Amino acid sequence: MEKIAVKIDDLTVAYNYKPVLWDIDLEIPEGVLMAIVGPNGAGKSTLIKSILGILKPIAGSVSIYGKSYEKQRSLVAYVPQKGSVDWDFPTTALDVVMMGTYGSLGWIKRPRQKEKKAALEALEKVGMLPFKNRQISQLSGGQQQRIFLARALVQNASIYFMDEPFQGVDATTEIAIINILKELRKAGKTVIVVHHDLQTVPEYFDWVTFLNVKKIATGPVKDIFNDDNLTKTYGINYKVSIQE
Amino acid sequence: MSSAQIEIQLIASLVAIACAIPGTFLVLRKMAMISDAISHSILPGIVIGFFITHDLNSPILILLAALTGIITVILVEYIQKTGLVKEDTAIGLVFPALFSIGVILIAKNANDVHLDVDAVLLGELAFAPFDRLMISGVDVGPKSLWIIGSILLITVSLLFAFFKELKVSTFDKGLAASLGFSPAIIHYGLMSVSSITTVGAFDAVGAILVVALMIAPAATAYLLTTDLKKMLGLAIGFGMFSAIAGYWVAHWLDASIAGSITTVLGLLFFLVYLFAPSKGVIAVLYKEKQQRIEVSLLTFLLHLKNHNEEVERHVNHLNEHINWQKVRSKTVLELALKNNMIIINDSIVSLTEKGDEFTSLAIDYIITNEDSQIEGMKDDFFLFRG
């Protein structure tokens, strides 16, 4: 049997005592490229943030390869929603990517040549090397998303969590990003993506989790990405034609 | 210059530097008003500390007062977390309450406390040189110089040690948390430094002006640079300049030193706000005007590209047809001619090869949003600079 990368047991998360995630059990196998889909307010971002210890659950537990997240930090990279940061912050593209190396450095230690080299390589991979010294507010939405992706790549993790990486990006960037995600999967990495565009799920992903406060279903796209689960998740009759 | 004058300027400069460092991060974290809250609500801490220590310069008093600053932050966050009121309202509720407790404590004990509300609000730098620190009978300088010097030393060491952590948690709290740099620890660390600095600077510049020293230099620097280290450097520079210039303005006007320093800070900000090269008001207005002209130029070139019939390309027709209100067609014609993008024969306008190529590239860019093709055009045209 394949290894389980992320295991979630009985996870409940609440804001002001109102549960946004209710008793979630979820196992994510190693090496999948998984979409988390669900309507607005379904708790998709909350799920990722709880796995990463950014939010404290009121019940339940999360393990990464059998151990707590705190012990496995170095195996995990995170791409937050692009809108969650202030892009007017005085810094450059290269500097933002370098932040990906901070985790392996730990407290106090400064990044050096080695970290800079890794950051430049990651920028190259996402096609942003020519923009390395550009102030981040001077980048387009798609370029900013690529910078975020490069920052995750530089962490050289085993599991990647991405919160809506395709939001507000142009078609070229979307293709560039999905190609990189597919490469990561080929290299045996596990990639978990909060995703909005249901039409592209069968094309981009091989695994899917339906979420709406509770977990509706999880499994291979070809088995469970169907009208029945979509209707259960979104509450209205959903018809998505799936290419066989 | 007398030695007292030098000492005052030195104290003012150190206060300015010590304030500019946490101030830069407060501005970037959009927490400027928190420094206002801290500066007022440390008053009861200072008064109570004074009852206990009977020494305004005692380190215990400074720590006690700084603790009140932290309590302020916690209270504000607690009230905000209930979701019943927003952050600015929470700030507005907490600090006047704490401040007024301080005011009442002073008034009730006016005979015992060598503090008055004026000094608390505005500080009095001019008296700082009179309170000397004596070590085994030797005068080593004014006490406030030693206090603010020590605080500055701590602040600078913390800045060097935790620059990376401060940067990442200020820019992206979520990433910082996922990497294991607890944003809460960094947040309260910054709040502690801000509180201690405020107490240390309080004596010299008072509760109202300490806010100006924290926020104004950083806000001014923010308009001038896109690099965090440079922003810190500039903020420190602006703070020091205002401290020294403010002293001499006060000297010349025979007015309050703290008031003069703040006035200089305000003027400095206003000048930069107007004249900053890329973010300043004048630069922005100029850029907008250029963009308006360039959009018109592009519209005009596109019109030429789309129409071969002479009637559409006659100078007079262009005047009627492309009916701009803000940019006269003459300006656009001249700009196009100057850049060799058009030629005019017998009042008939035609695109040159360069004009044709430019139009195709520009349209391509607008349709595809692919940046790579227009890198070269960015130098000449505002329109393509993001």
Side-chain angles (χ1 to χ4, degrees), chain B residues 16-33:
Chain B
I17 301 171
C19 286
I21 293 170
T24 298
F25 290 99
L26 291 177
V27 165
L28 289 174
R29 288 167 171 249
K30 305 181 176 65
M31 294 177 67
M33 287 319 288

Side-chain angles (χ1 to χ4, degrees), chain B residues 9 12-13 16 213 238-248 257 261 264:
Chain B
Q9 289 176 67
S13 303
L213 279 172
F238 287 139
M240 279 177 69
F241 172 82
S242 309
I244 292 166
Y247 172 77
W248 288 104
I257 299 171
I261 291 174
V264 172

